[in-house]
Amino acid sequence: MAFLKTRERSKERFSLLLLDLEEYYFEQHTAYHVATSSKKERKVRGSFKVCSRSVIFDPDDLTEPIIKVCLNNIFVYFNFAFRFFFLFFNQTGNEKMTFQLDIWSKTEDVVQTLLQVRSFSETIVIAANLQSRLARSSFDKNCFQSVAEKPHMECAVEMVLPLVSNPGHVCITDESLYFQPLNGYPEQVIQIKLHRVRRIYKRRHGLRPLGLEVFCTENDFCSDIYLKFYNTADRDEVYYYIATFLENHMTEHTAESYMLQWQRGHLSNYQYLLHLNNLADRSCNDLSQYPVFPWVLEDYSSAQLDMTNAATFRDLSKPVGALNKERLERLLVRPCFSCSQARYRGMPEPAFMYGSHYSSPGYVLFYLVRVAPEHMLCLQNGRYDHADRMFNNIGETWKNCLEGATDFKELIPDFYGDDPSFLENKLNLDLGRKQNGSLVGDVVLPPWASDASDFLQKHKTALESQYVSEHLHEWIDLVFGFKQRGSEAIAAHNVFHPLTYEGGIDCDSIEDPDQRIAMLTQILEFGQTPKQLFTTPHPQRITPRFHNMTRSSSVNSPLSELSSEDAHSVIIIATEGTTVPSLWCCCILYYSTLWLFIPDSTLKMYSKELKDFQRSMSFSNMALSSCLMLADGKTVVCSSWDNNVYFYSIPYGRRQDTLMGHDDAVSEMCWFDDQLYTASWDSTVKVKWHLQLVNTIGLNPAGTLLVSGCKDGAITIWDTSSYTILQQIHCHTGTIHHMAFSPDSRHVLSVGADCCMKVTDVQTGMVISSVKAEEEQRCFCWDGNSVLCGGQSGDLLLWDLLSNTVTKRIPAHSGAVTAMWMSALCSTVITGGEDRQTIYWKLQS
């Protein structure tokens, strides 16, 4: 029997104390523990739980201890007169506990259940009994939220939580996914609306393809539910049914697409590692496959952390076990401490270098014991580990990973997150006293960290540092890539026990059921190698350097008063030694929200007030070419090189509709009076045909005229009411980059690859002004008299159309200016360029 004291813990979390790894939780009843002390009797109300290996009494009062009694130590006696039942335990049977159920009529049933469960202590019999219970029950369709719901299928499953699998039934309808646990915990039924689902993933569980994880948010670390099915066919049917409710799930989430985004600097190192863990079946609900992150520093002793010194960082090209040459040699040739065999070189096939893994439930809970003590108590049979073996000191933990004979663990994402609570003993847990007499409390931090928050901040900075960005692909090769297994793994000294690899052991092929369950348990406890995502060397990142730039803000003014001192920079990413696409092709500023679309197919929402990205959406595997905001302020329309136009709902945070109207890339769009105008490289604007590829279009303020520019330098002016051509002029000798009507719709201004800026009369089709610039102009804004241009050099040029002269040159970008936007009141200008910089400009008074 174990008495497990609680300290300010929620009941839901402490229910995890109930189970061993192989234990099932069958049923629970409201009951009273009748406690007797000094001949006084008192009743403690709580929940009496029947499990496959024990019974537990969980009191409502959290100051009372949880009582757990193993079934093989008890005898049951039922008092029919008073509806009490007694549990006698220990070898002599002279210790007794008394319980009374809240519903007396249930008492006989509970006693019979206890006697039945008491008789099948063998693992295989427990599993058979569980399957029998599941077969005799079914999902209660009275739990449907609507009588109109149509069920698609139901089957028996288990909900996976850390260290616990909760059996029950899943039912999926045309509206919702339901899970009804057999024991009614944590709720009678869990419902997930299908329209809320954002992502779903097939998972391995115990190295078998039985898992399914469902996310209802884009960026949450933890999922809404993780289900383990009893056969792959049921899992796949539920997966594909839910997938029909998702517009872009099948094309968004691939390792290759994430790799390209990361390589170009569109994903941070932290974000990329989270994505890879997710794709490799790592989940915070499965401690045997918890997300794994690398140690990136090896300096935990200096007073100051020097991130410009390569010696500060860990060698990411080697696994933890190979970082110390002396220990590696001992592992290769000397006998193993835990067996009589010589390590690796003298080991029969299948040989392995490391007898312990870099990620396992024990290692995860080693780090998280201060925030999840119930998990550690569950794993350690109701006790904490010895105080000297606890997570006491970050520097000492790193040292042990370098020198310990069996310690090769990596880190978890929490070391690079925002919550330092796992480093602090805020619950005042009694974690023991070390041999030197000191109590185990908060984790001792390196000298360069002033507190836990400072440690996390500097650790995050180290993960995103230039050194780590240049070498992270080497660690990815070891954990997720081509050095994970085979001859490449041997050469990299990265060989683990075959139990940890997908396909290493086929549990279903083991005929003896006890051996099969024992092997599965060993797999779950030992830790599992992530699914291999890359079979060829991972490319290096195009290493960015991050800078901050601040510029003063001022009030509104005409374009002629624009100053380079009146801008605010969002973020600058300068890239060396390579050419990368511009950060964005166009943008929309709606109130305090900036919408950017990026050539990697991503639409990003940036909050000007919070100065941070709030949302990121991916529509296809190809780049976006333009975007615009509809008048209701609730819908963003994006065009893509995949020939499609996408409508994105801001309030619902999801794609609403897709238009497939072209046979080639959609290059630009305009919207007026509930009509969408699109230009495409398939030679069409909406319904009219061109002889050359259309590169850009523009609408006049009234929406009655549309102008399109082609790659051969031709301008075409259209009547939008009749879709007839009013004028067609070949005024440029190269591609037309950008064009727009004047505020009075009398003229069209265009810039092209021939370095010319030309003004064309709408009525006559004559070019009435032509200016040859020193460099190619890519985009512009104008108020009818003054033109602000963005050129190839990155400078902004202010032109006076009356005199055809440049009146001001404003340093702006270090690469070509590729896009420009001006507010309707001409009070704000936003520019973006190939230097991956977005700058706000406020106009002077």
Side-chain angles (χ1 to χ4, degrees):
M1 181 177 65
F3 293 87
L4 304 172
K5 296 277 187 178
T6 68
R7 288 180 183 264
E8 301 174 2
R9 309 290 290 166
S10 68
K11 290 196 63 180
E12 287 77 9
R13 298 195 67 183
F14 264 90
S15 293
L16 292 171
L17 282 170
L18 309 177
L19 304 178
D20 296 321
L21 284 176
E22 308 89 7
E23 191 166 16
Y24 288 103
Y25 170 23
F26 288 142
E27 60 188 57
Q28 69 173 359
H29 304 275
T30 301
Y32 296 88
H33 172 219
V34 183
T36 304
S37 60
S38 302
K39 298 184 179 180
K40 293 183 75 174
E41 191 174 85
R42 66 187 182 99
K43 290 184 177 181
V44 179
R45 191 176 189 274
S47 177
F48 186 82
K49 305 172 189 292
V50 181
C51 304
S52 59
R53 295 184 183 275
S54 62
V55 292
I56 297 100
F57 180 73
D58 187 5
D60 294 341
D61 185 351
L62 296 183
T63 62
E64 295 284 340
I66 293 175
I67 300 171
K68 178 175 181 178
V69 185
C70 294
L71 283 171
N72 56 5
N73 290 332
I74 69 170
F75 302 92
V76 184
Y77 173 74
F78 178 34
N79 185 312
F80 288 91
F82 296 100
R83 295 309 218 187
F84 287 95
F85 64 89
F86 309 102
L87 303 182
F88 294 90
F89 51 92
N90 79 17
Q91 293 179 349
T92 61
N94 59 6
E95 294 186 41
K96 180 180 73 174
M97 299 184 70
T98 305
F99 295 94
Q100 180 182 16
L101 293 189
D102 195 26
I103 303 176
W104 288 5
S105 59
K106 290 277 188 182
T107 307
E108 282 189 72
D109 295 336
V110 172
V111 171
Q112 291 302 318
T113 299
L114 284 172
L115 293 173
Q116 182 186 25
V117 175
R118 173 73 175 79
S119 66
F120 56 80
S121 59
E122 293 299 322
T123 303
I124 184 61
V125 181
I126 293 173
N129 182 272
L130 171 65
Q131 293 301 318
S132 175
R133 284 170 170 261
L134 288 171
R136 295 196 307 269
S137 58
S138 62
F139 182 83
D140 182 2
K141 294 181 175 57
N142 291 322
C143 295
F144 285 170
Q145 291 295 301
S146 169
V147 294
E149 284 189 71
K150 299 177 181 178
H152 174 70
M153 69 166 290
E154 74 169 89
C155 61
V157 298
E158 294 179 18
M159 182 175 69
V160 178
L161 297 168
L163 301 181
V164 178
S165 290
N166 202 2
H169 293 88
V170 68
C171 181
I172 188 167
T173 72
D174 57 347
E175 294 183 13
S176 300
L177 172 72
Y178 295 94
F179 172 71
Q180 188 172 53
L182 193 63
N183 50 38
Y185 178 83
E187 301 172 47
Q188 290 299 321
V189 67
I190 296 172
Q191 178 192 19
I192 295 176
K193 290 285 189 180
L194 295 182
H195 72 80
R196 292 183 55 241
V197 176
R198 293 290 176 268
R199 296 175 287 141
I200 53 173
Y201 293 98
K202 294 179 180 179
R203 294 285 189 232
R204 295 177 305 158
H205 189 273
L207 301 184
R208 295 182 295 176
L210 299 175
L212 180 70
E213 197 159 17
V214 180
F215 293 78
C216 291
T217 53
E218 291 289 344
N219 301 312
D220 271 8
F221 178 56
C222 291
S223 62
D224 289 73
I225 195 167
Y226 186 158
L227 298 174
K228 185 188 79 172
F229 291 74
Y230 291 107
N231 64 74
T232 305
D234 286 343
R235 191 275 306 269
D236 289 348
E237 183 171 351
V238 172
Y239 173 86
Y240 288 114
Y241 184 78
I242 297 177
T244 61
F245 290 81
L246 307 179
E247 293 91 343
N248 57 349
H249 168 76
M250 305 307 291
T251 58
E252 273 187 3
H253 306 288
T254 65
E256 289 74 17
S257 65
Y258 284 135
M259 178 189 71
L260 290 174
Q261 293 181 49
W262 170 79
Q263 191 183 13
R264 295 170 180 173
H266 303 149
L267 288 175
S268 67
N269 293 338
Y270 177 82
Q271 291 171 323
Y272 185 45
L273 289 176
L274 273 187
H275 286 311
L276 292 184
N277 274 282
N278 204 14
L279 292 173
D281 292 328
R282 316 298 289 187
S283 168
C284 65
N285 282 318
D286 185 354
L287 294 185
S288 69
Q289 298 190 93
Y290 201 82
V292 56
F293 270 56
W295 291 91
V296 297
L297 294 174
E298 71 172 31
D299 182 1
Y300 293 98
S301 58
S302 299
Q304 299 292 327
L305 192 60
D306 182 7
M307 295 194 191
T308 64
N309 185 359
T312 301
F313 297 91
R314 166 253 181 110
D315 184 353
L316 289 166
S317 67
K318 298 176 182 178
V320 170
L323 292 174
N324 184 329
K325 291 183 179 180
E326 294 181 1
R327 181 180 64 175
L328 177 62
E329 189 59 29
R330 291 197 300 269
L331 291 172
L332 290 172
V333 300
R334 294 186 182 180
C336 171
F337 293 103
S338 60
C339 63
S340 59
Q341 294 177 324
R343 178 67 88 193
Y344 193 64
R345 288 179 181 166
M347 191 180 292
E349 292 297 331
F352 56 90
M353 196 170 300
Y354 308 116
S356 60
H357 204 257
Y358 51 73
S359 177
S360 67
Y363 287 162
V364 173
L365 297 180
F366 170 82
Y367 292 128
L368 298 180
V369 63
R370 288 166 178 81
V371 291
E374 69 278 11
H375 294 75
M376 173 67 82
L377 292 171
C378 177
L379 199 66
Q380 297 275 129
N381 294 319
R383 299 179 179 85
Y384 295 119
D385 201 355
H386 190 281
D388 286 282
R389 291 195 296 265
M390 298 286 280
F391 182 32
N392 292 309
N393 184 303
I394 292 176
E396 289 179 1
T397 300
W398 166 248
K399 181 180 179 182
N400 196 62
C401 288
L402 285 181
E403 300 175 358
T406 60
D407 193 351
F408 316 106
K409 57 180 172 287
E410 292 278 11
L411 295 182
I412 56 177
D414 306 69
F415 278 84
Y416 303 100
D418 299 315
D419 184 3
S421 58
F422 78 101
L423 299 171
E424 301 167 332
N425 189 17
K426 292 184 176 181
L427 298 172
N428 295 317
L429 300 170
D430 183 4
L431 299 176
R433 190 180 294 272
K434 296 189 288 185
Q435 289 183 356
N436 63 10
S438 63
L439 290 171
V440 177
D442 295 345
V443 176
V444 178
L445 304 172
W448 46 257
S450 59
D451 55 32
S453 296
D454 183 51
F455 169 79
L456 289 187
Q457 184 58 46
K458 290 176 178 175
H459 223 221
K460 287 190 291 184
T461 303
L463 180 63
E464 304 301 334
S465 67
Q466 184 167 347
Y467 178 89
V468 174
S469 294
E470 290 174 349
H471 296 276
L472 187 58
H473 66 286
E474 298 172 332
W475 186 83
I476 293 172
D477 283 336
L478 294 169
V479 177
F480 301 103
F482 82 115
K483 290 183 180 179
Q484 187 196 84
R485 61 184 70 187
S487 59
E488 296 289 349
I490 294 173
H493 304 298
N494 193 41
V495 184
F496 293 89
H497 194 284
L499 272 178
T500 67
Y501 293 98
E502 181 181 21
I505 296 291
D506 181 8
C507 290
D508 294 328
S509 66
I510 302 175
E511 294 184 0
D512 186 281
D514 284 324
Q515 289 185 11
R516 182 169 65 249
I517 293 175
M519 183 64 70
L520 178 60
T521 301
Q522 187 177 351
I523 289 171
L524 293 176
E525 293 182 355
F526 192 84
Q528 299 172 54
T529 299
K531 183 168 64 178
Q532 189 175 30
L533 301 178
F534 306 100
T535 55
T536 58
H538 193 288
Q540 188 176 15
R541 190 178 193 181
I542 302 171
T543 310
R545 293 181 301 158
F546 296 89
H547 310 271
N548 290 320
M549 183 174 73
T550 59
R551 304 187 186 180
S552 59
S553 59
S554 61
V555 295
N556 303 345
S557 74
L559 279 174
S560 59
E561 298 298 325
L562 180 69
S563 168
S564 61
E565 298 302 317
D566 306 310
H568 166 67
S569 173
V570 179
I571 189 168
I572 307 172
I573 307 175
T575 306
E576 294 182 341
T578 184
T579 301
V580 298
S582 60
L583 176 64
W584 48 272
C585 305
C586 184
C587 72
I588 310 161
L589 183 63
Y590 189 76
Y591 291 100
S592 62
T593 301
L594 176 68
W595 291 87
L596 307 175
F597 64 88
I598 298 175
D600 70 342
S601 81
T602 305
L603 176 71
K604 291 185 178 291
M605 184 178 76
Y606 177 87
S607 171
K608 188 180 175 184
E609 293 178 348
L610 300 176
K611 297 182 181 180
D612 192 16
F613 284 103
Q614 302 296 299
R615 197 181 298 178
S616 179
M617 295 69 62
S618 182
F619 296 111
S620 71
N621 283 332
M622 302 188 72
L624 302 179
S625 56
S626 66
C627 70
L628 52 86
M629 177 80 73
L630 299 192
D632 61 4
K634 298 179 180 179
T635 305
V636 176
V637 186
C638 298
S639 62
S640 172
W641 288 357
D642 68 359
N643 313 349
N644 295 334
V645 175
Y646 300 98
F647 290 77
Y648 178 83
S649 170
I650 298 172
Y652 291 101
R654 62 179 297 173
R655 192 172 71 196
Q656 279 186 318
D657 200 3
T658 302
L659 295 181
M660 296 173 284
H662 289 278
D663 296 324
D664 205 339
V666 181
S667 54
E668 196 166 350
M669 300 180 299
C670 291
W671 180 279
F672 184 80
D673 196 21
D674 294 331
Q675 293 192 71
L676 180 68
Y677 303 87
T678 58
S680 171
W681 293 350
D682 65 1
S683 305
T684 66
V685 174
K686 190 70 174 179
V687 296
K688 295 296 181 180
W689 289 87
H690 282 270
L691 297 177
Q692 295 295 328
L693 303 181
V694 180
N695 195 56
T696 181
I697 58 173
L699 275 172
N700 72 336
T704 57
L705 300 175
L706 180 142
V707 61
S708 60
C710 297
K711 288 198 170 185
D712 69 340
I715 288 177
T716 304
I717 300 173
W718 306 77
D719 183 338
T720 59
S721 61
S722 61
Y723 299 105
T724 57
I725 296 176
L726 302 179
Q727 304 288 348
Q728 191 166 34
I729 312 104
H730 286 270
C731 57
H732 290 272
T733 58
T735 299
I736 298 176
H737 292 312
H738 188 206
M739 57 201 327
F741 284 91
S742 61
D744 60 6
S745 301
R746 294 176 58 187
H747 304 115
V748 171
L749 178 65
S750 58
V751 294
D754 56 4
C755 299
C756 290
M757 176 166 45
K758 300 196 176 188
V759 179
T760 303
D761 186 271
V762 173
Q763 292 295 325
T764 64
M766 293 180 59
V767 176
I768 59 175
S769 178
S770 179
V771 179
K772 182 77 171 182
E774 295 179 357
E775 63 183 76
E776 184 176 342
Q777 301 300 304
R778 301 285 294 276
C779 53
F780 64 85
C781 295
W782 71 319
D783 57 11
N785 297 315
S786 300
V787 182
L788 183 68
C789 293
Q792 197 69 28
S793 67
D795 290 346
L796 302 182
L797 304 181
L798 192 62
W799 292 79
D800 184 348
L801 289 180
L802 298 178
S803 62
N804 284 345
T805 59
V806 176
T807 60
K808 186 177 291 188
R809 178 182 289 269
I810 305 168
H813 295 267
S814 59
V817 182
T818 56
M820 189 179 298
W821 176 91
M822 185 169 67
S823 63
L825 298 177
C826 301
S827 61
T828 303
V829 172
I830 306 177
T831 60
E834 288 183 350
D835 60 357
R836 304 176 57 75
Q837 176 180 344
T838 301
I839 303 178
Y840 291 88
W841 302 85
K842 284 290 184 181
L843 309 185
Q844 288 181 339
S845 59

